[in-house]
Amino acid sequence: MEWTIQELATRAGITSRTLRHYDRVGLLTPSRVGANGYRYYNPSAVARLQRILLMRQLGMGLSAIAEVLADEVDTCDGLRAHIAALEEERDRIERQIRSVRHTLEALQAGVEPRMDVMVAGFNDRYKDEVISRWGERAFQVSNAWWHGKTLDQQRAWKQAAEDLVAAWVAAVKAGVSPTSEHAQSLAARHVRWLSQIPGTPTAEGDRERSIEMVKCLGDMYVDDPRFAAMYDDTAGATFVRDALHAYARTRM
């Protein structure tokens, strides 16, 4: 089966002039040229055009597209890569839609405009850290979970997290030991809180990685000033770290 240049241009939503230009620069040659000078394109040529158009939509220039196609050994592998890129773009757009929807809900509810966590989304500010420590999937799954919540659900989750932090700060001020029953009950509550977040080792029941994650979080609370401030000061963050480490070591 073949299509003329006019037929292909019409079906692809481009111009015959564009196809002729692709031919001139060696990006897409016709399958054959008839005795009448007409260009004809077979399914393989159309598949190549599909890939060119996909890369153009992703913002790639013609020279970059030519390099990709020239370096490619397996067309199927290239198509799989494009599917992955398109799925990534789809996910990005869906996150933007959810973000804007939540902003609209917040405005309609009369919420103050300071909605950094609710609008930006769970883990967005720490995306690189999450990916480097626990992988791309952990970020994507937890981020999708957060954006999938309604505004009220996000506010309830944030309040629960703030209550947990307040309980830790109160324990520090009470002067109890990190290994005390009270501190260890808070550590257990902290781990249960983590297990509600999809994509994390605690949510997936991976014991070894859960222990590693809890210890790693404890260290991060002390090492990162952002978290140290959350627990009032470095001493508070150190208390939380020691309690989590003890819990991970003896009860997980």
Side-chain angles (χ1 to χ4, degrees), residues 123 125-126 129-130 133-134 165 169 190 193 216-238 240:
N123 278 342
R125 290 175 297 172
Y126 309 112
E129 295 172 42
V130 172
R133 291 175 185 271
W134 299 295
V165 170
V169 172
H190 203 107
W193 174 73
C216 184
L217 279 175
D219 292 337
M220 188 167 64
Y221 291 158
V222 175
D223 297 338
D224 192 324
R226 293 170 298 181
F227 292 104
M230 184 171 67
Y231 294 107
D232 269 3
D233 52 29
T234 303
T238 300
V240 177

Side-chain angles (χ1 to χ4, degrees), residues 98-173:
R98 287 192 293 265
S99 178
V100 174
R101 183 176 290 123
H102 284 308
T103 302
L104 175 61
E105 290 178 4
L107 291 173
Q108 291 176 331
V111 176
E112 291 293 324
R114 190 176 184 276
M115 301 178 295
D116 53 329
V117 177
M118 288 183 283
V119 176
F122 185 79
N123 278 342
D124 282 5
R125 290 175 297 172
Y126 309 112
K127 177 178 179 179
D128 293 340
E129 295 172 42
V130 172
I131 292 175
S132 66
R133 291 175 185 271
W134 299 295
E136 175 75 26
R137 180 179 175 277
F139 171 77
Q140 295 295 349
V141 172
S142 62
N143 199 49
W145 162 80
W146 177 256
H147 282 299
K149 286 179 174 292
T150 65
L151 182 63
D152 286 342
Q153 289 172 331
Q154 288 181 342
R155 294 169 71 180
W157 173 265
K158 187 179 178 184
Q159 185 60 56
E162 290 175 352
D163 290 345
L164 177 57
V165 170
W168 276 119
V169 172
V172 174
K173 292 180 178 178

